[in-house]
Amino acid sequence: QVGVDLEIVVVDDGSTQDVAGAIATLAEDRIRVVRNERPVGVAGARNRGIEHARGEWIGFVDDDDLWAPDKLGSQLEALEATGRRWAYTGAVNITAAGEVIGGAPPPPPEEVAASLPRRNTVPGGGSSVVAARSLIDEVGVFDPSLYNTEDWDMWIRMARAGLPAWVPRPLLAYRVHATNASLNVAEIISGAREIERRYGGPVDMTELRRHTARIQLRSNRPGA
């Protein structure tokens, strides 16, 4: 990331790989590794990173996603210009080989905030958002009881505290592969029902099912 003073907290969520050893070869003192001896899932891993982060702003990036070099800098500029406390960007979908296979301009902040109880309209999942530490302290961390909809739940709480800023450029690449959590249809539907129960919705289940169908077809899983 260019033009940004940052720290990197890598959360090794109980993997069998030598993550710390691989990172040590980089000789980069801005990187710290936090290891969970047993996997706790996406929400728990992100929360562990939040716990160990020391900065005023916190960004999230899953291990299979990619940031453009100016992502953080552009978001911080948007946050400073608007005085808001969280921001998202546009995103594209890519293959494992880096080929762009989809994407669309993100909706504006007012539309995102208004639609979140019905649809998760923040592009690119957790890897899109940067949030102020003060905002996370106010609304709470990711809910470990949710699988695949933990980011949606968090964005609703953030939107209730204030509008986001945005950078309407594709600064995030979401990598599509056979083990994406978004392929688990049953968990997505179950999580959506819980979002509806918590926040009143109603969740747009028609669009959600269309969305999950597109994901399955994109991943060559027509039976699902």
Side-chain angles (χ1 to χ4, degrees):
Q1 295 297 300
V2 295
V4 179
D5 181 18
L6 56 77
E7 64 173 355
I8 302 166
V9 180
V10 177
V11 181
D12 175 0
D13 194 28
S15 76
T16 57
Q17 300 169 313
D18 182 14
V19 175
I23 289 173
T25 65
L26 301 176
E28 173 56 75
D29 59 11
R30 292 179 299 176
I31 304 177
R32 289 181 288 128
V33 180
V34 177
R35 176 170 171 80
N36 296 329
E37 291 306 318
R38 291 181 295 179
V40 298
V42 171
R46 288 189 190 137
N47 292 343
R48 193 89 193 280
I50 292 169
E51 176 187 348
H52 286 266
R54 297 181 292 222
E56 178 185 354
W57 299 96
I58 299 176
F60 311 99
V61 57
D62 294 343
D63 61 1
D64 50 357
D65 297 335
L66 300 174
W67 283 352
D70 59 338
K71 177 183 181 289
L72 290 183
S74 298
Q75 286 181 290
L76 291 173
E77 288 177 3
L79 287 160
E80 182 177 4
T82 59
R84 295 174 181 175
R85 294 193 292 167
W86 65 293
Y88 61 92
T89 76
V92 293
N93 297 325
I94 63 171
T95 66
E99 176 189 4
V100 176
I101 56 174
E110 293 77 10
E111 183 179 329
V112 165
S115 63
L116 272 171
R118 301 186 303 277
R119 300 173 57 195
N120 186 0
T121 46
V122 174
S127 298
S128 178
V129 166
V130 167
R133 158 75 72 175
S134 63
L135 178 60
I136 296 173
D137 289 343
E138 179 180 321
V139 305
V141 295
F142 292 95
D143 185 344
S145 72
L146 297 174
Y147 175 87
N148 193 270
T149 53
E150 78 293 325
D151 56 345
W152 185 3
D153 173 78
M154 176 72 114
W155 311 155
I156 291 173
R157 286 182 274 135
M158 286 184 174
R160 289 187 168 188
L163 286 174
W166 70 327
V167 181
R169 292 187 286 121
L171 301 181
L172 166 67
Y174 179 87
R175 200 190 310 268
V176 176
H177 52 79
T179 58
N180 286 133
S182 55
L183 294 174
N184 192 325
V185 176
E187 289 287 357
I188 291 172
I189 299 300
S190 174
R193 292 299 188 197
E194 177 60 20
I195 293 291
E196 187 172 62
R197 186 192 69 79
R198 293 182 183 187
Y199 302 108
V203 168
D204 186 345
M205 297 303 292
T206 300
E207 173 54 30
L208 183 65
R209 292 183 185 278
R210 286 175 176 158
H211 173 67
T212 56
R214 287 192 292 266
I215 292 172
Q216 303 303 325
L217 292 173
R218 186 180 66 197
S219 301
N220 197 28
R221 291 161 50 97

